[in-house]
Amino acid sequence: MFYREAGQFKSTYAADMAVFPIRQDRIGIAVILLLAFVGVPLIGNDFFTSTVMIPFLVFSLAAIGLNILTGYTGLISLGTAAFMGVGAYAAYKLTTFFPGVNIIVLVLVSGLFSAAIGVLFGLPSLRIKGFYLAVATLAAQFFLQWAFVRVPWLFNYNASGAIEVPQRLFFGIPVTGASASPETRYFVCLVLVVVLTWFASNLVHGKLGRSWMAVRDMDIAAELMGIKLLNAKLLAFAVSSFYAGVAGAMMIFFWYGGGEAADVFNIRLSFNILFMVIIGGLGSLIGSFFGAAFIASLPTILKFGLPALGVPLSGATAEHVTFMLVGALIIVFLIVEPHGLARLWQIGKQKLRTWPFPY
Amino acid sequence: MSIATLDAPTSTTPASDNILSLNNIEVIYDHVILVLKGVSLTVPRKGIVAILGANGAGKTTTLKAISNLLKAERGEVTKGSIVFEGERVDKMSPNELVRRGCIQVMEGRHCFGHLSIEENLLTGAFTRRDGNAAIKRDLEKIYELFPRLKQRRSSQAGYTSGGEQQMCAVGRAMMSKPKMILLDEPSMGLAPQIVEEIFEIVRRLNAEDGVSFLVAEQNTNMALRYATYGYIMETGRIVMDGAASMLRENEDVKEFYLGVAEGDKKSFREVKSYKRRKRWLS
Amino acid sequence: QDSVYFANNAYRTGPFSGSGIPIGDGMRDYITMINERDGGVNGVKIVYEECETGYDTKKSIECYEQAKSKNTIVYSPWSTGATLAAIPRAHIDKIPILSMAYGLSASADGTQFPWVFIPPFTYWDGASVMVKHMAAELGGMDKLKGKKLGLIHLDAPFGKEPIPVLENLAKKYGFELKIYPVAAADMQNQGSLWLSIRRDRPDYLYNQGWGAMNPTAVKEAIKNNFPINKLVGVWWAGGDDDARAGGEQAKGYKSLSWANAGTGFPVMQDILKHVVEKGKSTTPKDKVGEALYNRGVYNSMLVVEGIRNAQKLTGKKVVTAEDMRRGLESLNITEARLKEIGMDGFATPTSISCTDHSGHSKMFVAQWDGAKWIKGSDWIEPLKDEVRPLIETNAKDYAEKAGNWPKRTESCEKSS
Amino acid sequence: MNAEPMNVTGEPMTGKGEVLLAVENVSLRFGGVKAISDVSFDIRKGEVRAIIGPNGAGKTSMLNCINGFYHPQEGRITYKGARRDKMKPHRAAAAGIARTFQNVALFKGMSTLDNIMTGRTLKMKRGFFWQALRHGPAMQEEIEHRRVVEDIIDFLQIEHIRKLPVGKLPYGLQKRVELGRALAMEPELLLLDEPMAGMNLEEKEDMCRFILDVNNQFGTTIALIEHDMGVVMDLSDRVVVLEYGRKIADGTPDQVKSDQKVIDAYLGVAH
Amino acid sequence: MSDVAARPAPNLLANGWIKAGLILAGLVVVALVGAQLDGSGTFYKVFIDPFQQMVAAPDLLAQTIWEGLVSGVLYALIALGFVLIFKASGVFNFAQGIMVVFAALTLVGLHEKGVPAWLAVILTLGVMFVLAVTIERVVLRPLVNQPDIILFMATFGITYFLIGFGESLFGGNPKQMIADELYLPKGAIDLQIFGGLVSLQKIDIAAAVIASIMIAALALFFQYTRIGRALRAVADSHKAALSVGISLNQIWVIVWFTAGIVALITGIMWGARSDVSFALEIVALKALPVLILGGFTSIPGAIIGGLIIGIGEKLGEFYWGPLIGGGIESWLAYFIALGFLLFRPQGLFGDKIIERI
Ligand SMILES: Nc1ncnc2c1ncn2[C@@H]1O[C@H](COP(=O)(O)OP(=O)(O)OP(=O)(O)O)[C@@H](O)[C@H]1O
Ligand SMILES: Nc1ncnc2c1ncn2[C@@H]1O[C@H](COP(=O)(O)OP(=O)(O)OP(=O)(O)O)[C@@H](O)[C@H]1O
Ligand SMILES: [Mg+2]
Ligand SMILES: [Mg+2]
């Protein structure tokens, strides 16, 4: 009834090509942004902000990165965590080399390093396809993770092998380091994520995005349309790794706050991000957010939420139940809608449009 | 909407004479896309029935609804019933249906790309239980019908040409020794000679082995030549049906499907681009 | 009734759960025993809550945040990764971290790390004791020259901790140090590593391992005919399951330890009586008294004694995290006190001071007798003179790199 | 390059204009399978050139050679005077060769509009950073090309499916979208591989109309593979007939139709 | 069939991007590796010394190769489970690793409850069958004809579920495999050759023999039987398989049950070598390069790939690993696989990727 596009006519192509052509959608986005910028800091406590919201943002960004590669370009990667790691270590090294430069700039620059490494490991993608390509990215995953432990230069020769996050100020407010408040860190992450999401959205809706999707859907035909496969694929690797790198840097600087970084960027994380992308919806930016919420935040919420609701479970049992529940939910969601939560969302909107009729 | 019925539907004949009957079925894809809006049709035992209609009319969907392959595409039959040999089959699994003798040749080939042509044909005999010798014999028969397949028997199907794959798909279905074959666009991509041959095979199987056919076909000319009865579909509905001979004489059918309006076949160079109005849809 | 809240990380799931479960059991059961037997510490019940981490740093951070939001009086991270992540936070949030014989060795420097406690000693102390033990068996420190010590370690910060001390000692005493890292993914797949060991023929092996890595190492040692009594594990490589995996031939396997195994101590009897036999624990009775279980008990004892000390210092019954820090910082567990709490012979006295947050206490070499761990040596003092300077330089280094590291604001307690 | 195209084909010149593409003695093998053996023919500017032959004759393979997807082992292919039998497929696109496919090769996950827009890829020049902003020049460019694409959509009468993902469209419409995508490239040479398979008469008529219009209005040269003899005979200027990879006839539709070899191999009984 | 592919193999060096990339890649690897090597005598250390070592101590070389062989066989066993399911349903079964753990734990768990060893094996097989049926009913049936990656994702759901389920049933403690009760051989055969001692564990020999028999049997089954053919057909296209009357449900139960059997055997073998614990699940990742090197669809590929990877990584780690700090085993396997893939994108024995338009 209320969700209708009737009466909204588009008289220009520009309006028709907008990312959210329907007014209600635009209002929805505005509300969400308002909630994110004002609502969360107002109502959320520290615990919520730092263990649910910040991880959610970090993972969303990483998932967007992987979605560009896997969802839009059709290249499966199991090395996302390693590329995130490159971002994190690059940012760490950059802070030691350029202590004076603004930390946010450094975080963004570190993405470039990750992009370069991503391109390197993307090279085999011209010849290797599908799950076979996964091995190339697995090589990246394990090699880089090894390097994070074995190359002491990367962690400034610290005896423990851990990296520390120094305190850095932004307009006089600490944004990294232990004294940065969760809200500040959350804001920084939020701004980065919003801006980068906007860029990603622009890219995937334009020529580049179309080339990527063409390569994904039918690479031979794409080549015959004049798209250079290698360029398109490598660019996808670059952009994707850039996002992963920034997410990795954010992860260490705004969330973990240092520590044992090598182990953080392990294969499990790579898998998890892939799953976020799949569950959220391949080839859908909004799906990346859904996926991140589902895979990263749901277990946390279950774990701390169930006892709060009075479900009397011991730590280990709760963990087991969480595992089973998440596993079962993954399967249920896939069965209900294999194209991910994003598609479910769309169908929901479609139903809303035809409501109260079934179709 | 008015439906022009040229012939009393076969409902007067007893059901037992129909090998297949669809009763007012409705199909929805993805929970929201309504594609078939109440389709009823019957195939008499040992009959050849054609479904004609424009692109997107729902021919393929109808066939898939019968063979129960819809589920694999997230479609479902929400209303109506499908009866094959006197039994409701709308909840039956596809392999059960094949075992009972109803097999579909899918539109767009769908060979097993990594299997050789011969292996492809042999998978068609998966449900058969009458021994290797009989299967071998039938295999030879197929090769006789399609000599081209014999030449390419050990090639991986994925590498063969479009037409070869089409032959392979048809041959594969015949390998299951069915009572009824659902043929979806058998002529697509085949050389005229082979098209003719395929329909000859249909006729032969029908006459000699008593196999029934339900054929969805764009080549109306051909279809109406070989079928005994025809249904015409438009956007998910049956809009006309009748004996093939009568359909062939119908003015609308002549103009839109046979291209022989005003008695003469016109050249493709002469056709004008204009949006046609379907006369039976008011 | 009055109560204090104590959050403990546990990992009863995941690849390291084999070690995590007995420790968690020991910790929980001791606290339950105190609550049951004494009605808490001076009448203040300890609300003990486990937070499951699965040995995953991400989850441990969540656990930390939860512990913080529930005002825990002390945080016990139970993994080196989790400790590293918690240290900077705890300094801001003013929550004492108790990382018993694990975590960041450098954090033993109380002047730089006022909120971190690492009793009774650090990994660096352990490494030095390993060298001392080797020397003792060879017949003196001077006999070390030209010998070979191998270090098998989990390829993670935890595993790498002993390296700096061993490197220093190797230089000083002229023995050769060989390092064999084991990637987490290859914990159960150590074939080529042991081939290298066969090639290099080290005289002793020190195993800084954890979880599934340990039983595999023991089995491989047996398989490769490495003399099992020359393989010495760090205390975390001294679980009963670790040794049991080797079967008959594991007899003689050693590990460092400071808390004796077995149930022959009054405190263990109390746990059996007040907790296990009353069905207030999930621990199977035959697991009570295993090596790792007993270390869990020891850890909880430190917490309880810390609370007690804090109560004494502040005169409050219900202490806060800041009080707890004071309590821990002046913790002095004497021989007499050990006796009082039923731990006579269970462990040695240990004391923490303002500058020294570890105590550098004595330890012993435990040995597997085929069925259980027994005390296989006298109490050995770590090479404090080697370890302490390293701790101080590293602590300073850490603070420097972190930039703006909070300076110690709490003055050292003069009492006790 | 051969002096006279007439010598190559040995057929009278009935086509229009000069030679746009010449195929000379091309052979293509896959292991033991000879897909094409020693075939020569040419395509002249502005004509509709049909390639027919029984199934497996090598027609599709021929097109694949022309746009660089297969590289023939022998012989040469010259396009606008330049050799291109060793070229990469994307070069073909840049040189103005577009095609449609026998098994529809659309980008299934994308909408009709986006599919056709990909045809414009080569013509869009804005760099990465403008695209990331999607404002100013990038947006202008996008709109410009959108306009062209909308014209094509109008032309093909597929307005109603503009925003639908193509994967689930009925077959006939997919073929039409594919044609649109090829047209969006504004090709000089358009290769059509069975564009009318699986269509009913009415749709075939539409398709013929489109093909003829393209040919007439834009002067696009067309190479057409089709099994419907009616269409081939009516539309094409010249026809080349392949069988088992060999050329068996080449000439005007009437010549070919009455060629006994062609009747035996392909047409069967006189059509 | 077609050995001479007419589709040109992309010439990797022709492209400027690739050339630059490869140079950059070379630089990065050299820099990272070089950072680990100390400068003096690098050439000697890398290219001469290892070979001298091999010659000087042939017993160690033999032992290394044997170790590689054994771990190769064990990788191959895990890979085999993957291959079975992939070949027969096109599903990349991420859950294979946890199935190994689950099977082994069930066996040991049952034995702990007092069930005699062999009965426990039979009961475990029963459990694996039930698991196969459940997975088919609950997961696969509703997901028929979905893209590979979706099914892959679903197996991840299964993994999660089994981890939680398994741990709540059996607890997280590592358990010992009941090797003696199953009459698995113990001890070692020590060979005095090459002037040294080469010790072959009997359990390893048993593993190699069992694996070879199993692999040979399965390979024959797939190639030459009716069901085998049907399995391959299903992997090619669910839809087409349905249309010719192949019962996916039945096929899937068969395949997942077979994979369950393989998982049990793998679990017993791995468990007898180290321990049965959830950490074993991680080892399953090592099966991936094996799988990819051999080709996803090839059963003999699993064993050959396993051997190449096993021996390659052991030699690499043993002779070259120490030069750059050791631990290179963790990634060497993937690089070996990658190297092969660059020349054969479908793996050594995998079905050729069909590219045709
Ligand atoms: N899987 C699907 N999901 C959603 N819609 C579908 C799906 N398959 C088909 N449709 C829609 O159903 C309608 C009927 O399609 P169907 O394939 O049955 O037509 P058809 O008569 O066989 O056409 P053609 O002659 O082109 O083969 C079409 O509008 C199509 O877009
Ligand atoms: N990549 C390939 N590998 C092996 N054989 C191939 C390959 N491509 C084509 N062939 C073979 O070459 C022959 C010619 O195939 P092509 O597709 O060109 O035929 P066609 O003339 O287009 O037939 P149709 O009319 O059936 O589409 C066929 O026998 C086919 O099997
Ligand atoms: Mg159809
Ligand atoms: Mg063709």
Side-chain angles (χ1 to χ4, degrees), chain C residues 13 17 189 192 198 219 223, chain E residues 63 75 172 197 201 274 329:
Chain C
T13 64
S17 56
N189 188 20
S192 45
R198 257 181 73 179
K219 281 188 160 188
K223 204 174 109 183
Chain E
Q63 185 79 51
Y75 295 155
L197 183 85
Q201 297 290 314
S274 45
E329 217 176 336

Side-chain angles (χ1 to χ4, degrees), chain B residues 64 69 72-74 94-95 98-99 103-104 106 110-115 119 122-129 152 154-156 158-162 172, chain E residues 1-2 142-146 223 226-227 229-230 232-234 236-251 351-356:
Chain B
K64 280 193 188 141
L69 291 172
E73 300 191 6
R74 303 191 78 72
N95 69 301
V98 173
R99 194 158 289 150
I103 193 164
Q104 181 179 9
M106 280 197 287
H110 291 287
C111 290
F112 301 114
H114 289 101
L115 270 57
E119 283 175 321
L122 287 175
T123 53
F126 183 78
T127 48
R128 277 171 68 168
R129 292 280 179 278
R152 315 280 281 125
S154 59
S155 310
Q156 279 191 323
Y159 286 116
T160 56
S161 86
R172 189 176 64 189
Chain E
M1 175 208 60
S2 57
L143 286 176
V144 134
N145 199 36
Q146 293 303 330
Q223 202 60 38
R226 189 178 72 104
I227 297 275
R229 196 162 51 228
R232 287 189 292 144
V234 174
D236 244 17
S237 161
H238 290 174
K239 212 159 45 166
L242 278 175
S243 83
V244 298
I246 295 172
S247 159
L248 290 190
N249 307 342
Q250 184 194 342
I251 294 276
D351 281 339
K352 217 160 155 200
I353 301 158
I354 294 184
E355 274 195 341
R356 232 213 102 148

Side-chain angles (χ1 to χ4, degrees), chain C residues 103-338:
Chain C
L104 184 69
S105 297
S107 67
D109 182 350
T111 47
Q112 298 290 357
F113 295 93
W115 291 90
V116 189
F117 298 89
I118 182 166
F121 40 66
T122 65
Y123 286 132
W124 290 352
D125 294 309
S128 75
V129 168
M130 169 68 216
V131 174
K132 265 179 98 171
H133 171 67
M134 186 163 103
E137 289 206 340
L138 292 168
M141 285 308 225
D142 50 327
K143 295 283 186 336
L144 285 172
K145 203 166 195 73
K147 295 289 185 221
K148 244 188 227 176
L149 171 64
L151 170 69
I152 316 173
H153 71 83
L154 186 67
D155 211 354
F158 149 70
K160 296 202 299 192
E161 274 286 328
I163 294 176
V165 166
L166 289 178
E167 274 174 349
N168 282 357
L169 292 176
K171 227 176 283 153
K172 180 160 176 192
Y173 294 108
F175 63 87
E176 194 184 339
L177 179 65
K178 283 272 177 190
I179 295 177
Y180 308 102
V182 178
D186 281 325
M187 285 198 300
Q188 294 193 296
N189 188 20
Q190 301 176 13
S192 45
L193 182 133
W194 283 88
L195 277 172
S196 307
I197 291 174
R198 257 181 73 179
R199 170 182 54 195
D200 299 342
R201 296 174 208 281
D203 299 285
Y204 278 84
L205 275 176
Y206 185 46
N207 174 23
Q208 180 97 358
W210 192 216
M213 172 180 163
N214 295 331
T216 310
V218 172
K219 281 188 160 188
E220 286 282 352
I222 294 166
K223 204 174 109 183
N224 286 281
N225 295 324
F226 187 85
I228 196 75
N229 57 354
K230 301 276 165 77
L231 174 65
V232 185
V234 70
W235 38 93
W236 303 124
D240 289 53
D241 286 329
D242 297 341
R244 215 175 274 138
E248 257 316 86
Q249 293 158 287
K251 202 164 147 183
Y253 173 55
K254 290 173 180 165
S255 95
L256 302 181
S257 184
W258 73 96
N260 267 307
T263 50
F265 307 96
V267 61
M268 300 310 291
Q269 289 304 321
D270 279 353
I271 289 177
L272 282 172
K273 189 168 128 211
H274 294 282
V275 184
V276 180
E277 275 157 17
K278 280 198 193 155
K280 302 218 175 237
S281 162
T282 52
T283 320
K285 204 170 162 191
D286 58 330
K287 298 270 177 193
V288 176
E290 285 195 347
L292 292 180
Y293 181 92
N294 281 13
R295 282 182 214 148
V297 168
Y298 185 88
N299 195 344
S300 283
M301 179 277 285
L302 291 176
V303 173
V304 169
E305 291 309 303
I307 296 173
R308 214 185 290 280
N309 197 26
Q311 287 171 333
K312 196 172 91 196
L313 290 175
T314 59
K316 292 196 272 187
K317 277 188 84 176
V318 178
V319 292
T320 63
E322 303 208 22
D323 303 333
M324 184 68 182
R325 197 199 69 75
R326 288 175 63 195
L328 285 171
E329 194 154 76
S330 57
L331 195 63
N332 183 8
I333 299 172
T334 58
E335 197 79 57
R337 182 65 195 151
L338 280 173

Side-chain angles (χ1 to χ4, degrees), chain B residues 54-56 58-61 107 184-185 216 218, chain D residues 170-171 198:
Chain B
N55 280 133
K59 306 181 292 294
T60 303
T61 307
E107 167 185 51
D184 201 351
E185 312 228 0
Q218 297 281 20
Chain D
Y171 196 74

Side-chain angles (χ1 to χ4, degrees), chain A residues 10 13-19 21 198-203 205-229 235 239 339 343, chain D residues 67 69 88-90 93-94 97 99 101 104-110 113-114 117-119 121-122 124-126 128 131-135 139 142-143 146-147 150 163 168 181-182 185:
Chain A
K10 281 147 278 187
Y13 287 133
D16 190 44
M17 286 185 314
V19 177
W198 181 65
F199 280 139
S201 152
N202 287 342
L203 282 179
H205 283 97
K207 173 180 93 170
L208 197 55
R210 283 193 298 271
S211 315
W212 283 338
M213 290 189 275
V215 170
R216 167 195 72 190
D217 286 346
M218 177 97 10
D219 54 349
I220 299 172
E223 204 179 356
L224 295 177
M225 313 289 326
I227 295 169
K228 294 197 188 91
L229 292 188
L235 208 50
V239 175
H339 294 284
R343 177 66 67 84
Chain D
N67 65 11
F69 183 66
K88 289 244 174 71
H90 64 84
I97 304 179
R99 81 174 275 187
F101 303 86
V104 182
L106 282 174
F107 308 125
K108 292 216 162 53
M110 298 158 72
L113 196 63
D114 279 345
M117 281 293 273
T118 50
T121 305
L122 277 179
M124 298 177 77
K125 300 283 182 247
R126 289 289 161 208
F128 180 82
Q131 289 184 50
L133 290 176
R134 205 162 185 261
H135 274 273
M139 197 60 176
E142 189 96 336
I143 291 172
R146 170 77 184 264
R147 221 166 255 140
E150 289 290 345
K163 296 270 172 80
K168 286 170 183 170
R181 188 180 64 182
M185 294 170 68

Side-chain angles (χ1 to χ4, degrees), chain B residues 5 7-18 21 42 44 229 231 241:
Chain B
T5 307
D7 194 295
T10 33
S11 56
T12 47
T13 52
S16 61
D17 247 277
N18 291 332
S21 64
T42 52
Y229 200 86
Y231 291 85
D241 66 336

Side-chain angles (χ1 to χ4, degrees), chain B residues 231-251:
Chain B
Y231 291 85
I232 294 181
M233 282 186 92
E234 289 285 338
T235 55
R237 291 192 177 85
I238 305 255
V239 290
M240 188 194 281
D241 66 336
S245 50
M246 299 181 84
L247 286 180
R248 267 206 304 272
E249 296 311 315
N250 180 280
E251 279 306 314

